[in-house]
């Protein structure tokens, strides 16, 4: 048996917050990488109808419901301006599973996959789970890949790069010019691009472009990954997909058939309803844009915190290194632990993303939660507070 993989550090924060809640603490979490909102009624009703439909009670197709694949293909056609058909799509148990399905096809033991640094730990995890080695590539000051940095990390074993735009935790969006340069580099070296489009709907500057819209010539070397988790507040429903050349889809289908048989039918019906609902992601994007402005302004008002305005996604990713120095903390894990214990506020320490001087703060929560969280932050980090020795603070709510 191979050695067990370390658990995702983001889940560790969530578990500690959960434990405090179980002891009766009123914990607010800005740590989860998911929308706090409930799934829309349209989707829930469709799922209830599906549960009542006997056709949903039996085995389905390994590749996924043809109707769901068709609507996914339409959406990706619209996004990439290329023609995609239902046969080009494999339905997966969430985008993470879709990433895994792509990687288990593309890589063999010893192959390397380039991932962003700082970046989402899940990318490293799926590469490892598929038997490869994730190689972190330092991103530029805007948290984007540069061709120089990619080239610096390229070896004869480099097989693919995972490009997530907007990204997690940085919110970085790769504009068309960047994508063009990366595409040119990948094409020159025969490197696959896995385009993780899970945060596609959350683009606040209008700079998002799909890789294949900019570089259609890469279609036979690109896997597009997406899902309903973030756009439709459906993280628990576990529906994602990949769109890829036929041999990748055939291999993914075989893997699904040999392991999970297929993705649950009822959940696929729910995702089908979600994809017919464009209002929900549009409303979420508009709410998040407002909340992003609020949290970034508030974070920047705290001494020792420097927070860039993210172009996309659901997270603020401030530099807290000056605050750590002022307070005598050695890492942002100390700050995160202190905030959780003292202010009952959960954020993810930057160490989870290989960025020790930062924290990740999710703003995909409702206005009341965000405002209360801000009050707690302000109080906890007011200049008169002294870290570690600070008394338990009273929180308003
Ligand atoms: C960049 C990125 N890709 C993929 C995923 C996984 O999405 P899903 O919940 O659909 O598996 C996440 C979840 O946090 C993510 O941040």
């Amino acid at each position: 048996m191979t050695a067990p993989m370390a658990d995702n550090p983001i889940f560790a924060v969530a578990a500690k917050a959960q434990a405090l809640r179980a002891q009766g603490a009123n914990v607010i979490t800005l740590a989860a990488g998911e929308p706090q909102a409930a799934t829309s009624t349209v989707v829930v009703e469709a799922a209830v109808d599906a549960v009542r439909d006997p056709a949903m009670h039996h085995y389905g197709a390994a590749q996924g419901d043809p109707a769901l694949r068709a609507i996914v293909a339409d959406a990706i056609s619209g996004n990439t301006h290329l023609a995609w058909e239902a046969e080009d799509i494999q339905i997966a148990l969430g985008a993470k599973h879709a990433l895994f399905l792509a990687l288990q096809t593309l890589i063999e033991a010893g192959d390397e996959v380039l991932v962003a640094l700082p970046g989402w730990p899940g990318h490293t995890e799926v590469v490892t789970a598929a038997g490869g080695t994730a190689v972190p590539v330092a991103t530029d000051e805007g948290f984007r890949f540069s061709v120089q940095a990619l080239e610096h990390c390229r070896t004869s074993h480099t097989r693919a790069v995972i490009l997530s735009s907007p990204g997690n935790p940085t919110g970085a969006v790769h504009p068309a010019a960047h994508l063009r340069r990366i595409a040119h580099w990948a094409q020159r070296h025969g490197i696959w691009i896995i385009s993780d489009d899970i945060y596609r709907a959350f683009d606040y500057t209008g700079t998002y472009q799909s890789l294949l819209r900019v570089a259609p010539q890469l279609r036979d070397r690109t896997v597009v990954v997406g899902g309903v988790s973030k756009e439709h507040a459906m993280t628990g429903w576990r529906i994602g997909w990949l769109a890829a050349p036929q041999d990748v889809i055939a291999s993914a289908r075989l893997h699904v058939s040999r392991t999970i048989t297929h993705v649950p039918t009822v959940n696929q019906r729910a995702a089908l309803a979600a994809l017919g609902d464009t209002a929900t992601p549009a409303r979420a994007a508009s709410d998040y844009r407002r909340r992003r402005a609020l949290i970034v302004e508030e974070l920047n008002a705290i001494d020792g915190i420097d927070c860039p305005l993210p172009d996309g996604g659901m997270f603020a990713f401030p530099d807290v290194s000056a605050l750590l120095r002022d307070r005598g903390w050695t890492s942002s894990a100390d700050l995160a632990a202190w905030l959780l214990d003292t202010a009952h506020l959960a954020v993810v320490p930057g160490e989870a993303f290989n960025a020790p001087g930062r924290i990740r703060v999710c703003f995909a929560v409702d206005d009341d939660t965000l405002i209360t969280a801000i009050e707690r932050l302000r109080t906890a980090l007011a200049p008169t507070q002294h870290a570690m020795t600070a008394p338990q603070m009273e929180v308003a709510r």
Side-chain angles (χ1 to χ4, degrees):
M1 209 173 102
T2 50
M5 284 185 286
D7 202 2
N8 185 319
I10 304 170
F11 297 146
V13 178
K16 188 161 177 209
Q18 195 54 43
L20 275 172
R21 274 200 184 119
Q23 291 163 22
N26 172 12
V27 176
I28 288 189
T29 180
L30 304 183
E34 62 177 344
Q36 188 195 37
T39 303
S40 75
T41 314
V42 177
V43 172
V44 172
E45 294 300 334
V48 170
D49 289 348
V51 168
R52 294 210 169 97
D53 177 358
M56 297 289 102
H57 300 173
H58 303 289
Y59 287 131
Q63 197 170 341
D65 177 352
L68 176 58
R69 288 191 283 116
I71 199 168
V72 168
D74 280 352
I76 298 178
S77 302
N79 192 28
T80 59
H81 289 214
L82 297 171
W84 297 83
E85 306 292 337
E87 68 194 37
D88 302 318
I89 313 297
Q90 170 68 47
I91 303 301
L93 281 169
K96 196 180 196 182
H97 184 224
L99 289 164
F100 172 78
L101 289 173
L103 287 160
Q104 62 83 34
T105 301
L106 297 181
I107 62 176
E108 290 170 5
D111 282 347
E112 294 170 356
V113 178
L114 305 182
V115 298
L117 171 71
W120 181 54
H123 286 147
T124 298
E125 291 166 3
V126 282
V127 172
T128 311
T133 303
V135 177
V137 178
T139 50
D140 66 15
E141 63 293 340
F143 300 116
R144 299 175 187 121
F145 282 135
S146 70
V147 165
Q148 291 87 325
L150 289 166
E151 183 58 14
H152 180 71
C153 294
R154 185 177 67 83
T155 72
S156 57
H157 301 289
T158 307
R159 180 87 170 129
V161 53
I162 303 181
L163 172 76
S164 189
S165 172
N168 169 13
T170 65
V173 175
H174 284 67
H178 274 70
L179 294 177
R180 216 168 275 123
R181 284 195 291 272
I182 295 166
H184 185 68
W185 168 84
Q187 193 172 21
R188 182 146 35 100
H189 300 293
I191 290 169
W192 280 80
I193 298 192
I194 299 177
S195 180
D196 179 348
D197 288 0
I198 195 79
Y199 295 105
R200 189 176 71 83
F202 307 133
D203 162 32
Y204 308 117
T205 58
T207 41
Y208 168 81
Q209 285 277 341
S210 79
L211 171 81
L212 286 178
R213 169 109 195 252
V214 172
Q217 74 278 12
L218 278 192
R219 180 168 181 171
D220 62 353
R221 284 223 155 236
T222 297
V223 179
V224 178
V225 167
V228 290
S229 297
K230 317 283 175 167
E231 289 184 19
H232 292 275
M234 291 178 69
T235 47
W237 300 74
R238 308 308 305 135
I239 299 291
W241 51 78
L242 55 146
Q246 270 304 307
D247 48 346
V248 176
I249 293 299
S251 161
R253 182 180 55 232
L254 203 59
H255 193 281
V256 166
S257 162
R258 287 174 175 170
T259 52
I260 58 168
T261 306
H262 63 77
V263 170
T265 50
V266 169
N267 299 34
Q268 292 191 66
R269 277 291 172 89
L272 181 62
L275 289 181
D277 167 22
T278 51
T280 296
R283 203 170 34 247
S286 141
D287 287 344
Y288 297 172
R289 180 196 299 268
R290 199 182 62 248
R291 292 169 191 154
R292 165 191 79 135
L294 181 65
I295 188 75
V296 167
E297 189 186 334
E298 290 290 340
L299 285 166
N300 279 325
I302 296 171
D303 276 353
I305 296 189
D306 180 16
C307 188
L309 191 65
D311 285 343
M314 311 189 316
F315 310 103
F317 195 50
D319 181 345
V320 295
S321 46
L323 180 71
L324 301 181
R325 260 194 318 274
D326 287 355
R327 308 279 174 134
W329 283 313
T330 51
S331 73
S332 54
D334 289 345
L335 167 61
W338 184 78
L339 280 175
L340 188 51
D341 288 341
T342 315
H344 291 160
L345 179 64
V347 299
V348 183
E351 282 84 351
F353 315 98
N354 271 325
R358 293 182 177 267
I359 55 172
R360 189 189 76 175
V361 182
C362 178
F363 50 79
V365 295
D366 62 39
D367 286 340
D368 274 358
T369 304
L370 195 64
I371 288 164
T372 309
I374 286 168
E375 284 168 7
R376 291 187 186 190
L377 263 177
R378 271 197 207 139
T379 314
L381 296 173
T384 49
Q385 288 281 331
H386 289 292
M388 302 304 187
T389 54
Q392 282 291 103
M393 56 177 255
E394 290 293 322
V395 285
R397 46 179 164 157

CSV table of all heavy atoms in Angstrom, one decimal, residues 47-85:
chain,number,residue,atom,x,y,z
A,47,ALA,N,-34.8,18.2,-8.6
A,47,ALA,CA,-34.3,17.0,-7.9
A,47,ALA,C,-35.4,16.2,-7.3
A,47,ALA,O,-35.5,15.0,-7.4
A,47,ALA,CB,-33.3,17.4,-6.9
A,48,VAL,N,-36.4,16.9,-6.7
A,48,VAL,CA,-37.5,16.2,-6.1
A,48,VAL,C,-38.3,15.5,-7.2
A,48,VAL,O,-38.7,14.3,-7.0
A,48,VAL,CB,-38.4,17.2,-5.3
A,48,VAL,CG1,-39.7,16.6,-4.9
A,48,VAL,CG2,-37.7,17.8,-4.1
A,49,ASP,N,-38.6,16.2,-8.3
A,49,ASP,CA,-39.3,15.5,-9.4
A,49,ASP,C,-38.5,14.3,-9.9
A,49,ASP,O,-39.1,13.2,-10.2
A,49,ASP,CB,-39.4,16.5,-10.6
A,49,ASP,CG,-40.4,17.6,-10.3
A,49,ASP,OD1,-41.2,17.4,-9.3
A,49,ASP,OD2,-40.5,18.5,-11.1
A,50,ALA,N,-37.2,14.4,-9.9
A,50,ALA,CA,-36.3,13.3,-10.4
A,50,ALA,C,-36.4,12.1,-9.4
A,50,ALA,O,-36.5,10.9,-9.9
A,50,ALA,CB,-34.9,13.7,-10.6
A,51,VAL,N,-36.4,12.4,-8.1
A,51,VAL,CA,-36.6,11.3,-7.1
A,51,VAL,C,-37.8,10.5,-7.4
A,51,VAL,O,-37.9,9.3,-7.2
A,51,VAL,CB,-36.5,11.9,-5.7
A,51,VAL,CG1,-36.9,10.9,-4.7
A,51,VAL,CG2,-35.1,12.5,-5.4
A,52,ARG,N,-38.9,11.3,-7.8
A,52,ARG,CA,-40.2,10.6,-8.0
A,52,ARG,C,-40.3,9.9,-9.3
A,52,ARG,O,-41.3,9.2,-9.5
A,52,ARG,CB,-41.3,11.7,-7.9
A,52,ARG,CG,-41.4,12.3,-6.5
A,52,ARG,CD,-42.9,12.8,-6.3
A,52,ARG,NE,-43.0,13.2,-4.9
A,52,ARG,CZ,-42.9,14.4,-4.4
A,52,ARG,NH1,-42.7,15.4,-5.3
A,52,ARG,NH2,-43.0,14.7,-3.2
A,53,ASP,N,-39.3,10.0,-10.2
A,53,ASP,CA,-39.4,9.5,-11.5
A,53,ASP,C,-38.7,8.1,-11.5
A,53,ASP,O,-37.5,8.0,-11.3
A,53,ASP,CB,-38.7,10.4,-12.5
A,53,ASP,CG,-38.6,9.8,-13.9
A,53,ASP,OD1,-39.1,8.7,-14.1
A,53,ASP,OD2,-38.1,10.5,-14.8
A,54,PRO,N,-39.5,7.0,-11.7
A,54,PRO,CA,-38.9,5.7,-11.6
A,54,PRO,C,-37.7,5.5,-12.5
A,54,PRO,O,-36.8,4.7,-12.3
A,54,PRO,CB,-40.0,4.7,-11.9
A,54,PRO,CG,-41.3,5.5,-11.7
A,54,PRO,CD,-40.9,7.0,-11.9
A,55,ALA,N,-37.7,6.2,-13.6
A,55,ALA,CA,-36.6,6.1,-14.6
A,55,ALA,C,-35.3,6.4,-13.9
A,55,ALA,O,-34.2,6.0,-14.4
A,55,ALA,CB,-36.8,6.9,-15.8
A,56,MET,N,-35.3,7.2,-12.9
A,56,MET,CA,-34.1,7.7,-12.2
A,56,MET,C,-33.6,6.7,-11.2
A,56,MET,O,-32.6,6.9,-10.6
A,56,MET,CB,-34.4,9.0,-11.5
A,56,MET,CG,-34.7,10.2,-12.4
A,56,MET,SD,-33.3,10.7,-13.4
A,56,MET,CE,-33.6,10.0,-14.9
A,57,HIS,N,-34.4,5.6,-11.0
A,57,HIS,CA,-34.1,4.7,-9.9
A,57,HIS,C,-33.1,3.5,-10.4
A,57,HIS,O,-32.8,2.6,-9.6
A,57,HIS,CB,-35.4,4.1,-9.3
A,57,HIS,CG,-36.3,5.1,-8.8
A,57,HIS,ND1,-37.6,4.8,-8.3
A,57,HIS,CD2,-36.1,6.4,-8.6
A,57,HIS,CE1,-38.1,5.9,-7.9
A,57,HIS,NE2,-37.3,6.9,-8.1
A,58,HIS,N,-32.7,3.6,-11.6
A,58,HIS,CA,-32.0,2.5,-12.2
A,58,HIS,C,-30.7,3.0,-12.8
A,58,HIS,O,-30.4,4.2,-12.9
A,58,HIS,CB,-32.9,1.8,-13.3
A,58,HIS,CG,-34.2,1.3,-12.7
A,58,HIS,ND1,-34.3,0.3,-11.8
A,58,HIS,CD2,-35.4,1.8,-12.8
A,58,HIS,CE1,-35.5,0.1,-11.4
A,58,HIS,NE2,-36.2,1.0,-12.0
A,59,TYR,N,-29.9,2.0,-13.2
A,59,TYR,CA,-28.6,2.4,-13.8
A,59,TYR,C,-28.7,3.4,-15.0
A,59,TYR,O,-29.7,3.3,-15.7
A,59,TYR,CB,-27.9,1.1,-14.3
A,59,TYR,CG,-27.3,0.2,-13.3
A,59,TYR,CD1,-27.6,-1.1,-13.3
A,59,TYR,CD2,-26.5,0.7,-12.3
A,59,TYR,CE1,-27.0,-2.0,-12.3
A,59,TYR,CE2,-26.0,-0.1,-11.3
A,59,TYR,CZ,-26.2,-1.4,-11.3
A,59,TYR,OH,-25.7,-2.3,-10.4
A,60,GLY,N,-27.7,4.2,-15.1
A,60,GLY,CA,-27.7,5.2,-16.3
A,60,GLY,C,-26.4,5.0,-17.1
A,60,GLY,O,-25.7,4.0,-16.8
A,61,ALA,N,-26.2,5.9,-18.0
A,61,ALA,CA,-25.0,5.8,-18.9
A,61,ALA,C,-23.7,6.2,-18.1
A,61,ALA,O,-23.7,7.1,-17.4
A,61,ALA,CB,-25.2,6.7,-20.1
A,62,ALA,N,-22.6,5.4,-18.3
A,62,ALA,CA,-21.4,5.7,-17.7
A,62,ALA,C,-20.9,7.1,-18.0
A,62,ALA,O,-20.3,7.8,-17.2
A,62,ALA,CB,-20.3,4.6,-18.1
A,63,GLN,N,-21.1,7.5,-19.3
A,63,GLN,CA,-20.6,8.8,-19.7
A,63,GLN,C,-21.5,10.0,-19.1
A,63,GLN,O,-21.0,11.1,-19.0
A,63,GLN,CB,-20.6,8.9,-21.2
A,63,GLN,CG,-19.7,10.0,-21.7
A,63,GLN,CD,-19.6,10.0,-23.2
A,63,GLN,OE1,-19.8,8.9,-23.9
A,63,GLN,NE2,-19.2,11.1,-23.8
A,64,GLY,N,-22.6,9.6,-18.6
A,64,GLY,CA,-23.5,10.7,-18.1
A,64,GLY,C,-24.8,10.8,-18.9
A,64,GLY,O,-24.8,10.4,-20.0
A,65,ASP,N,-25.8,11.4,-18.3
A,65,ASP,CA,-27.1,11.7,-18.9
A,65,ASP,C,-26.9,12.5,-20.2
A,65,ASP,O,-26.3,13.5,-20.2
A,65,ASP,CB,-27.9,12.5,-17.9
A,65,ASP,CG,-29.3,12.8,-18.4
A,65,ASP,OD1,-29.6,12.6,-19.6
A,65,ASP,OD2,-30.1,13.4,-17.7
A,66,PRO,N,-27.4,11.9,-21.3
A,66,PRO,CA,-27.1,12.6,-22.6
A,66,PRO,C,-27.7,14.1,-22.6
A,66,PRO,O,-27.1,14.9,-23.2
A,66,PRO,CB,-27.9,11.8,-23.6
A,66,PRO,CG,-28.0,10.4,-23.0
A,66,PRO,CD,-28.0,10.6,-21.5
A,67,ALA,N,-28.8,14.3,-21.9
A,67,ALA,CA,-29.4,15.6,-21.9
A,67,ALA,C,-28.5,16.6,-21.1
A,67,ALA,O,-28.3,17.7,-21.6
A,67,ALA,CB,-30.8,15.6,-21.2
A,68,LEU,N,-27.9,16.1,-20.0
A,68,LEU,CA,-27.0,17.0,-19.3
A,68,LEU,C,-25.7,17.2,-20.1
A,68,LEU,O,-25.2,18.3,-20.2
A,68,LEU,CB,-26.6,16.3,-17.9
A,68,LEU,CG,-25.6,17.0,-17.1
A,68,LEU,CD1,-26.0,18.5,-16.8
A,68,LEU,CD2,-25.3,16.3,-15.8
A,69,ARG,N,-25.2,16.1,-20.8
A,69,ARG,CA,-24.0,16.3,-21.6
A,69,ARG,C,-24.3,17.3,-22.7
A,69,ARG,O,-23.4,18.1,-23.1
A,69,ARG,CB,-23.5,15.0,-22.1
A,69,ARG,CG,-22.9,14.1,-21.0
A,69,ARG,CD,-22.2,12.9,-21.5
A,69,ARG,NE,-23.1,11.8,-21.9
A,69,ARG,CZ,-23.2,11.4,-23.1
A,69,ARG,NH1,-22.6,11.8,-24.1
A,69,ARG,NH2,-24.1,10.4,-23.4
A,70,ALA,N,-25.5,17.3,-23.3
A,70,ALA,CA,-25.8,18.2,-24.4
A,70,ALA,C,-25.8,19.6,-23.9
A,70,ALA,O,-25.3,20.5,-24.6
A,70,ALA,CB,-27.2,17.8,-25.0
A,71,ILE,N,-26.4,19.9,-22.7
A,71,ILE,CA,-26.5,21.3,-22.3
A,71,ILE,C,-25.1,21.8,-21.8
A,71,ILE,O,-24.7,22.9,-22.0
A,71,ILE,CB,-27.6,21.4,-21.2
A,71,ILE,CG1,-28.0,22.9,-21.1
A,71,ILE,CG2,-27.1,20.9,-19.9
A,71,ILE,CD1,-29.2,23.1,-20.2
A,72,VAL,N,-24.3,20.9,-21.3
A,72,VAL,CA,-22.9,21.2,-21.0
A,72,VAL,C,-22.1,21.6,-22.3
A,72,VAL,O,-21.4,22.6,-22.4
A,72,VAL,CB,-22.2,20.1,-20.2
A,72,VAL,CG1,-20.7,20.3,-20.1
A,72,VAL,CG2,-22.8,19.9,-18.8
A,73,ALA,N,-22.3,20.7,-23.3
A,73,ALA,CA,-21.6,21.0,-24.6
A,73,ALA,C,-22.0,22.3,-25.1
A,73,ALA,O,-21.2,23.1,-25.6
A,73,ALA,CB,-22.0,19.9,-25.6
A,74,ASP,N,-23.3,22.7,-25.0
A,74,ASP,CA,-23.8,24.0,-25.5
A,74,ASP,C,-23.1,25.1,-24.8
A,74,ASP,O,-22.7,26.1,-25.4
A,74,ASP,CB,-25.3,24.1,-25.3
A,74,ASP,CG,-26.1,23.4,-26.4
A,74,ASP,OD1,-25.4,22.9,-27.4
A,74,ASP,OD2,-27.3,23.3,-26.2
A,75,ALA,N,-23.0,25.0,-23.4
A,75,ALA,CA,-22.4,26.0,-22.6
A,75,ALA,C,-20.9,26.2,-23.0
A,75,ALA,O,-20.4,27.3,-23.1
A,75,ALA,CB,-22.6,25.7,-21.1
A,76,ILE,N,-20.2,25.1,-23.2
A,76,ILE,CA,-18.8,25.2,-23.5
A,76,ILE,C,-18.6,25.7,-24.9
A,76,ILE,O,-17.7,26.5,-25.2
A,76,ILE,CB,-18.1,23.8,-23.3
A,76,ILE,CG1,-18.2,23.4,-21.8
A,76,ILE,CG2,-16.6,23.9,-23.7
A,76,ILE,CD1,-17.6,22.1,-21.4
A,77,SER,N,-19.6,25.4,-25.8
A,77,SER,CA,-19.5,25.9,-27.2
A,77,SER,C,-19.6,27.4,-27.1
A,77,SER,O,-18.9,28.2,-27.8
A,77,SER,CB,-20.6,25.3,-28.1
A,77,SER,OG,-20.5,24.0,-28.1
A,78,GLY,N,-20.6,27.9,-26.3
A,78,GLY,CA,-20.8,29.4,-26.2
A,78,GLY,C,-19.5,30.0,-25.6
A,78,GLY,O,-19.1,31.1,-26.0
A,79,ASN,N,-18.9,29.4,-24.7
A,79,ASN,CA,-17.7,30.0,-24.0
A,79,ASN,C,-16.5,29.9,-24.8
A,79,ASN,O,-15.6,30.8,-24.8
A,79,ASN,CB,-17.5,29.2,-22.7
A,79,ASN,CG,-16.5,29.9,-21.7
A,79,ASN,OD1,-16.4,31.1,-21.8
A,79,ASN,ND2,-15.8,29.1,-20.9
A,80,THR,N,-16.3,28.9,-25.6
A,80,THR,CA,-15.1,28.7,-26.4
A,80,THR,C,-15.2,29.1,-27.8
A,80,THR,O,-14.2,29.3,-28.6
A,80,THR,CB,-14.6,27.2,-26.4
A,80,THR,OG1,-15.6,26.4,-26.9
A,80,THR,CG2,-14.3,26.8,-25.0
A,81,HIS,N,-16.4,29.3,-28.3
A,81,HIS,CA,-16.7,29.6,-29.7
A,81,HIS,C,-16.2,28.5,-30.6
A,81,HIS,O,-15.8,28.7,-31.8
A,81,HIS,CB,-16.1,30.9,-30.2
A,81,HIS,CG,-16.9,32.1,-29.6
A,81,HIS,ND1,-17.0,33.3,-30.2
A,81,HIS,CD2,-17.5,32.3,-28.4
A,81,HIS,CE1,-17.7,34.1,-29.4
A,81,HIS,NE2,-18.0,33.5,-28.3
A,82,LEU,N,-16.2,27.3,-30.1
A,82,LEU,CA,-15.9,26.0,-30.9
A,82,LEU,C,-17.2,25.1,-30.7
A,82,LEU,O,-17.9,25.3,-29.7
A,82,LEU,CB,-14.7,25.3,-30.3
A,82,LEU,CG,-13.4,26.1,-30.4
A,82,LEU,CD1,-12.3,25.3,-29.6
A,82,LEU,CD2,-12.9,26.3,-31.8
A,83,ALA,N,-17.3,24.2,-31.6
A,83,ALA,CA,-18.5,23.3,-31.6
A,83,ALA,C,-18.2,22.1,-30.7
A,83,ALA,O,-17.3,21.4,-31.0
A,83,ALA,CB,-18.9,22.9,-33.0
A,84,TRP,N,-19.0,21.9,-29.7
A,84,TRP,CA,-18.9,20.7,-28.8
A,84,TRP,C,-20.2,20.0,-28.8
A,84,TRP,O,-21.3,20.6,-28.9
A,84,TRP,CB,-18.6,21.1,-27.3
A,84,TRP,CG,-17.2,21.8,-27.2
A,84,TRP,CD1,-17.0,23.1,-27.4
A,84,TRP,CD2,-16.0,21.2,-26.8
A,84,TRP,NE1,-15.7,23.4,-27.2
A,84,TRP,CE2,-15.0,22.3,-26.8
A,84,TRP,CE3,-15.6,19.9,-26.5
A,84,TRP,CZ2,-13.7,22.0,-26.5
A,84,TRP,CZ3,-14.3,19.7,-26.2
A,84,TRP,CH2,-13.3,20.7,-26.2
A,85,GLU,N,-20.1,18.6,-28.8
A,85,GLU,CA,-21.3,17.8,-28.8
A,85,GLU,C,-21.3,17.0,-27.5
A,85,GLU,O,-20.3,16.9,-26.8
A,85,GLU,CB,-21.2,16.8,-30.0
A,85,GLU,CG,-21.0,17.4,-31.3
A,85,GLU,CD,-22.2,18.2,-31.8
A,85,GLU,OE1,-23.3,18.0,-31.3
A,85,GLU,OE2,-21.9,19.1,-32.6
